[in-house]
Amino acid sequence: MAQLQRIAIALDQLQQNQIWLTAQQQHYLSRVLRLQKGDRFIAMDGIGKWWLAQLEGKEAQILETLTVETELPISITLMVALPKNGFDEVVRCCTELGVACIAPVMSDRTLLNPSPQKLERWQRIASEAAEQSERSFVPTILEPVSFEAGLSSFATNHKYICEGRGNYPHLKKCLQQTGQTTILIATGPEGGWTEKEIDNAIQAGFQPVSLGRRILRAVTAPIVALSLISACEV
Ligand code: SAM
């Protein structure tokens, strides 16, 4: 199945064993990928299902349901203070690494004020990265909210905030506790978190953690955090 191309579809495109392709998908399959009538591809709904499908012009015939086991056993939400540049890369890499949800937040030192079109762009990047990395789920990208609002938005007992300075335990050590099935992890912007933000996070039940002795860029830190958590899978 490895060589077959994958496309994400919406559930309302499905009718019994047919997929009604959008004009954009028809163009992509026929013109970009150069698939012919009768050629096969994989359709994924982004919420856990994959199907082997056969192109029939404006629609595709579902041939069989496929089983995919590429998801992490742990559900990771990344709360990330929007960096000035490079957030597209964070979305792409963290999707490849298995993130379940990305919650962009505006912190005291966030410099970016994202336009409403950005969310759509990030969702498209996540969808493409999920296809590329053969995931069965496309991560949810939430609307940016203030850091304060983000602090109280998620129910899990395992909440971490990455802080490069101070004598905090390494994330890897904290992950050695057993039984974590959901994790919320927060990373800061270029200028870092303010002291008040760290205090508020601690009040909200977050454990400050280190990612090592070097100060990582705001774009590198979430990718390293996700890599450490996903490494616990093996
Ligand atoms: N200007 C800040 C300073 O000098 O401390 C550095 C901020 S850093 C570029 C951006 C974010 O990445 C930080 O807020 C933190 O969340 C995360 N980060 C970077 N290096 C880290 C490390 N070694 N341990 C934990 N978090 C780190």
Side-chain angles (χ1 to χ4, degrees), residues 4-229:
L4 291 184
Q5 296 290 340
R6 291 169 294 279
I7 63 161
I9 60 160
L11 272 184
D12 61 9
Q13 290 180 251
L14 266 183
Q15 234 169 58
Q16 288 165 351
N17 274 348
Q18 302 274 343
I19 300 169
W20 297 95
L21 299 166
T22 64
Q24 208 183 3
Q25 288 165 341
Q26 289 168 38
H27 174 85
Y28 179 68
L29 290 167
S30 318
R31 304 275 166 171
V32 181
L33 300 179
R34 305 213 167 264
L35 297 193
Q36 310 283 324
K37 204 167 167 191
D39 283 347
R40 294 172 175 200
F41 66 94
I42 291 169
M44 49 183 275
D45 67 358
I47 48 171
K49 289 224 174 78
W50 277 32
W51 298 275
L52 179 63
Q54 182 166 291
L55 188 61
E56 302 288 354
K58 290 186 176 178
E59 70 255 32
Q61 179 74 30
I62 289 183
L63 302 177
E64 63 177 287
T65 302
L66 301 172
T67 308
V68 263
E69 285 170 357
T70 51
E71 293 299 319
L72 294 175
I74 188 162
S75 170
I76 309 167
T77 294
L78 172 70
M79 186 191 291
V80 50
L82 282 166
K84 190 155 180 262
N85 294 303
F87 189 62
D88 289 3
E89 208 45 34
V90 172
V91 173
R92 189 172 293 114
C93 293
C94 291
T95 299
E96 287 173 38
L97 288 163
V99 75
C101 173
I102 299 180
V105 291
M106 316 284 288
S107 67
D108 287 349
R109 294 187 183 140
T110 300
L111 299 172
L112 186 79
N113 196 4
S115 63
Q117 294 83 357
K118 285 281 185 190
L119 183 61
E120 217 174 289
R121 177 182 166 77
W122 298 330
Q123 281 162 340
R124 201 177 58 245
I125 291 172
S127 178
E128 286 167 5
E131 284 170 30
Q132 187 278 323
S133 53
E134 305 196 1
R135 290 192 56 181
S136 49
F137 283 85
V138 177
T140 308
I141 317 278
L142 301 178
E143 291 252 18
V145 294
S146 70
F147 176 63
E148 296 309 319
L151 279 182
S152 55
S153 300
F154 301 93
T156 166
N157 291 333
H158 305 288
K159 299 190 265 197
Y160 303 102
I161 183 162
C162 297
E163 171 55 50
R165 297 184 195 271
N167 194 17
Y168 296 117
H170 197 286
L171 173 62
K172 198 172 85 173
K173 282 224 173 85
C174 299
L175 294 173
Q176 282 159 2
Q177 307 160 20
T178 50
Q180 305 193 18
T181 52
T182 57
I183 282 190
L184 173 59
I185 185 133
T187 60
E190 285 86 347
W193 303 115
T194 61
E195 227 169 276
K196 187 168 144 260
E197 285 171 332
I198 293 286
D199 287 347
N200 289 346
I202 293 170
Q203 289 293 317
F206 283 70
Q207 162 70 54
V209 288
S210 163
L211 297 173
R213 294 186 190 155
R214 291 151 302 282
I215 297 295
L216 307 171
R217 286 186 308 133
V219 170
T220 313
I223 298 169
V224 170
L226 256 292
S227 305
L228 285 165
I229 301 169

